[in-house]
Amino acid sequence: MVTAHRLNTYFRFTPPSLPACAKKMAAPVAVHLEFGGGAELLFDGVKEHHVTLPSQPEPWDMKQLLVWIQRNLLKERPELFVQGDSVRPGILVLINDADWELKGELDYQLQDQDNVVFISTLHGG
Amino acid sequence: MAQEAGSLKAQLKEKEKEIAALKNKLAQLEKSHASVPELQDKVTPLSPLTTKPALSNEDIMRYSRQLLLPELGVKGQLNLSRTSVLIVGCGGLGCPLAQYLAAAGIGRLGLLDYDEVELSNLHRQVLHGEENQGQAKALSAARAVKRLNSTVECIPYHLQLSPENAVQLIQQYPNSYIYNVPTRYLVNDACVLSGKPLVSASALRMEGQLTVYNYRGSPCYRCLYPVPPPPETVTNCSDGGVLGVVPGIMGCFQALEVLKIASGQGSSCGQQLLMFDAQGFRFRSIRLRPKQADCAVCGESPSVTQLIDYEAFCGSAATDKCRKLNLLSKDQRITVQEYKSVVDNSGPHILVDVRPTVEVDICHLPFSLNIPLSSLEQRKSEDIRLLQQRIIQLKQQMADDHQPPVYVICKLGNDSQKAVQVLEKMSGSELDSITVKDVCGGLMAWATKIDPAFPQY
Ligand SMILES: [Zn+2]
């Protein structure tokens, strides 16, 4: 179950074709997601995921990213990753190598090429 | 007369030699006695460290290679000799930490551990040797440290850190170090309440993390993790495994930060999290939030003003030993003895081993079917198909119309209970109807109670 450690997976989602009358949509956002400290075990042991979030009327924020991850990457036992609309206690979120608390947490608006890390705290020794 | 005098002289010489030998023996004995530190089973007040006014010639020779560093120098070395450090846990991190602090000339080391040395510790807890098995870890570590540097004062504590003794103990030491969850909150709070920095590291599998908490505006552990993780998400080394050199590397980093703080240079690791990925060979330094104004212990109006019940707070026991889950009722479980009699009577059944394949490769019962818990939870179709085939075969062998019995086993009897719950949901729908039970205590109970030749890990 921990065999596929360093494999990268690539998810590409083509934006749905727009109806002629659609209002202006935000462009798709490519982000690099990483899971570590054991959190990767919820994602088949895959630590790095390059994903493209489809274009949508609103800009993507962290809250929506968590929902997207739950729907598209996390297939089993969501309670080990999310609690309410945030991550479960014991998981630290880093945006571009900084604690997400410094970036606005759930309200942070994702930029193209952002790097988001979900790290479970380690307890061994 | 001359002959008699000569004989007496010779006798005297002989006796003098004997006296010298006895004196020597006594001195050796006294020295070795003084160098075997006494194991403490409770916290007692410590006498202040004797402060050296200057370095001796022996000190200068011993520490010469680090004295040459302008960052340390004589002043830094003297600071080290006046510093006491408490090391909580003499395991994979504590061993290299103690070793390098002692080698560098720290004044006093408190070495705390409630466990004894076991064979499965030796791959990473490098101060303990084969001959130390069964000994208190704190004492074994203290002896090893003394062998390395007899001028370091060592105080081994064979006790469990508790809300009753933690503050008293930690107040006697400027720096601390820790592991495991309830202990992390306990030591964090005790450090905040006593105003001490906390150099904390952890290691699991192939990863390590390090942070200096409660130091010059840096956050405390609670600032980062105000709510403890659910107990079922916490993996320790005996469940998750760890490559020995990984805590070794992290313990060395801890030693580095303690030495920088103790010698007066200061740590540059405050408000930072160092992450080490041993597999990708990658270090990463993450900028953390500052000390939080609303923190329950180090904030502006703290709600934690004395130590609390940490096991209740975290919902799990404070030792690194395995947690025991109780998810099933009594009739959903069988003991290893009961399972043994099923095997002895050739009772028709399927034994499903739900451990990860890497553990099944270490050891397994020859007649078991390996389907890892994660595959069951994800309903991996090839595994489910295989199990269904075995159920159909079993039904054909069984004369009566009873539901085929499926027994589930794992290492210690926690995952097997989760698997029973999953299989019960599948019974009658994704699988033919079955009766599922888990084997209480798992393969380790099998090894201790039924088959002593079965390997333990
Ligand atoms: Zn705090």
PDB file of all heavy atoms in Angstrom, chain A residues 35-42 120 122, chain B residues 205 207:
ATOM      1  N   PHE A  35       1.335  15.687  -0.566  1.00  0.00           N
ATOM      2  CA  PHE A  35       0.875  15.118   0.698  1.00  0.00           C
ATOM      3  C   PHE A  35       2.052  14.424   1.359  1.00  0.00           C
ATOM      4  O   PHE A  35       2.819  13.729   0.705  1.00  0.00           O
ATOM      5  CB  PHE A  35      -0.253  14.116   0.445  1.00  0.00           C
ATOM      6  CG  PHE A  35      -1.428  14.730  -0.272  1.00  0.00           C
ATOM      7  CD1 PHE A  35      -1.499  14.701  -1.658  1.00  0.00           C
ATOM      8  CD2 PHE A  35      -2.421  15.383   0.438  1.00  0.00           C
ATOM      9  CE1 PHE A  35      -2.560  15.294  -2.330  1.00  0.00           C
ATOM     10  CE2 PHE A  35      -3.480  15.979  -0.221  1.00  0.00           C
ATOM     11  CZ  PHE A  35      -3.558  15.936  -1.613  1.00  0.00           C
ATOM     12  N   GLY A  36       2.212  14.644   2.682  1.00  0.00           N
ATOM     13  CA  GLY A  36       3.357  14.035   3.364  1.00  0.00           C
ATOM     14  C   GLY A  36       3.057  13.708   4.812  1.00  0.00           C
ATOM     15  O   GLY A  36       1.972  13.987   5.317  1.00  0.00           O
ATOM     16  N   GLY A  37       4.046  13.102   5.479  1.00  0.00           N
ATOM     17  CA  GLY A  37       3.909  12.751   6.888  1.00  0.00           C
ATOM     18  C   GLY A  37       2.891  11.650   7.130  1.00  0.00           C
ATOM     19  O   GLY A  37       2.434  11.461   8.243  1.00  0.00           O
ATOM     20  N   GLY A  38       2.519  10.930   6.061  1.00  0.00           N
ATOM     21  CA  GLY A  38       1.522   9.869   6.193  1.00  0.00           C
ATOM     22  C   GLY A  38       0.201  10.252   5.519  1.00  0.00           C
ATOM     23  O   GLY A  38      -0.607   9.389   5.205  1.00  0.00           O
ATOM     24  N   ALA A  39      -0.032  11.558   5.275  1.00  0.00           N
ATOM     25  CA  ALA A  39      -1.283  11.986   4.614  1.00  0.00           C
ATOM     26  C   ALA A  39      -1.374  11.380   3.217  1.00  0.00           C
ATOM     27  O   ALA A  39      -2.468  11.169   2.691  1.00  0.00           O
ATOM     28  CB  ALA A  39      -1.359  13.509   4.548  1.00  0.00           C
ATOM     29  N   GLU A  40      -0.213  11.073   2.611  1.00  0.00           N
ATOM     30  CA  GLU A  40      -0.224  10.491   1.257  1.00  0.00           C
ATOM     31  C   GLU A  40      -0.875   9.105   1.237  1.00  0.00           C
ATOM     32  O   GLU A  40      -1.317   8.637   0.188  1.00  0.00           O
ATOM     33  CB  GLU A  40       1.200  10.425   0.688  1.00  0.00           C
ATOM     34  CG  GLU A  40       2.116   9.358   1.275  1.00  0.00           C
ATOM     35  CD  GLU A  40       2.754   9.765   2.610  1.00  0.00           C
ATOM     36  OE1 GLU A  40       2.352  10.806   3.178  1.00  0.00           O
ATOM     37  OE2 GLU A  40       3.633   9.029   3.082  1.00  0.00           O
ATOM     38  N   LEU A  41      -0.947   8.446   2.399  1.00  0.00           N
ATOM     39  CA  LEU A  41      -1.526   7.105   2.433  1.00  0.00           C
ATOM     40  C   LEU A  41      -3.025   7.144   2.109  1.00  0.00           C
ATOM     41  O   LEU A  41      -3.607   6.138   1.721  1.00  0.00           O
ATOM     42  CB  LEU A  41      -1.297   6.447   3.797  1.00  0.00           C
ATOM     43  CG  LEU A  41       0.183   6.258   4.167  1.00  0.00           C
ATOM     44  CD1 LEU A  41       0.314   5.633   5.545  1.00  0.00           C
ATOM     45  CD2 LEU A  41       0.906   5.409   3.124  1.00  0.00           C
ATOM     46  N   LEU A  42      -3.642   8.315   2.273  1.00  0.00           N
ATOM     47  CA  LEU A  42      -5.050   8.461   1.904  1.00  0.00           C
ATOM     48  C   LEU A  42      -5.213   8.620   0.399  1.00  0.00           C
ATOM     49  O   LEU A  42      -6.317   8.612  -0.128  1.00  0.00           O
ATOM     50  CB  LEU A  42      -5.656   9.684   2.603  1.00  0.00           C
ATOM     51  CG  LEU A  42      -5.651   9.645   4.135  1.00  0.00           C
ATOM     52  CD1 LEU A  42      -6.037  10.999   4.698  1.00  0.00           C
ATOM     53  CD2 LEU A  42      -6.599   8.567   4.629  1.00  0.00           C
ATOM     54  N   SER A 120       0.901  15.716   7.544  1.00  0.00           N
ATOM     55  CA  SER A 120       0.426  15.181   8.803  1.00  0.00           C
ATOM     56  C   SER A 120       1.589  15.241   9.786  1.00  0.00           C
ATOM     57  O   SER A 120       2.718  14.941   9.423  1.00  0.00           O
ATOM     58  CB  SER A 120      -0.016  13.746   8.544  1.00  0.00           C
ATOM     59  OG  SER A 120      -0.523  13.178   9.691  1.00  0.00           O
ATOM     60  N   LEU A 122       4.201  14.154  12.475  1.00  0.00           N
ATOM     61  CA  LEU A 122       4.756  12.853  12.808  1.00  0.00           C
ATOM     62  C   LEU A 122       4.820  12.717  14.325  1.00  0.00           C
ATOM     63  O   LEU A 122       5.031  13.689  15.044  1.00  0.00           O
ATOM     64  CB  LEU A 122       6.164  12.722  12.241  1.00  0.00           C
ATOM     65  CG  LEU A 122       6.313  12.906  10.735  1.00  0.00           C
ATOM     66  CD1 LEU A 122       7.775  12.812  10.343  1.00  0.00           C
ATOM     67  CD2 LEU A 122       5.503  11.871   9.987  1.00  0.00           C
TER      68      LEU A 122
ATOM     69  N   ARG B 205       8.659   6.374   9.447  1.00  0.00           N
ATOM     70  CA  ARG B 205       8.910   5.822   8.118  1.00  0.00           C
ATOM     71  C   ARG B 205      10.199   6.430   7.541  1.00  0.00           C
ATOM     72  O   ARG B 205      11.273   6.153   8.030  1.00  0.00           O
ATOM     73  CB  ARG B 205       7.713   6.077   7.193  1.00  0.00           C
ATOM     74  CG  ARG B 205       6.433   5.451   7.715  1.00  0.00           C
ATOM     75  CD  ARG B 205       5.316   5.520   6.694  1.00  0.00           C
ATOM     76  NE  ARG B 205       4.092   5.062   7.320  1.00  0.00           N
ATOM     77  CZ  ARG B 205       3.170   5.881   7.837  1.00  0.00           C
ATOM     78  NH1 ARG B 205       3.322   7.175   7.765  1.00  0.00           N
ATOM     79  NH2 ARG B 205       2.103   5.386   8.410  1.00  0.00           N
ATOM     80  N   GLU B 207      10.518   9.932   6.977  1.00  0.00           N
ATOM     81  CA  GLU B 207      10.369  11.381   7.063  1.00  0.00           C
ATOM     82  C   GLU B 207      10.684  11.888   8.461  1.00  0.00           C
ATOM     83  O   GLU B 207      10.512  11.176   9.444  1.00  0.00           O
ATOM     84  CB  GLU B 207       8.926  11.782   6.723  1.00  0.00           C
ATOM     85  CG  GLU B 207       8.601  11.706   5.257  1.00  0.00           C
ATOM     86  CD  GLU B 207       7.163  12.115   5.003  1.00  0.00           C
ATOM     87  OE1 GLU B 207       6.923  13.299   4.830  1.00  0.00           O
ATOM     88  OE2 GLU B 207       6.299  11.225   5.012  1.00  0.00           O
TER      89      GLU B 207
END
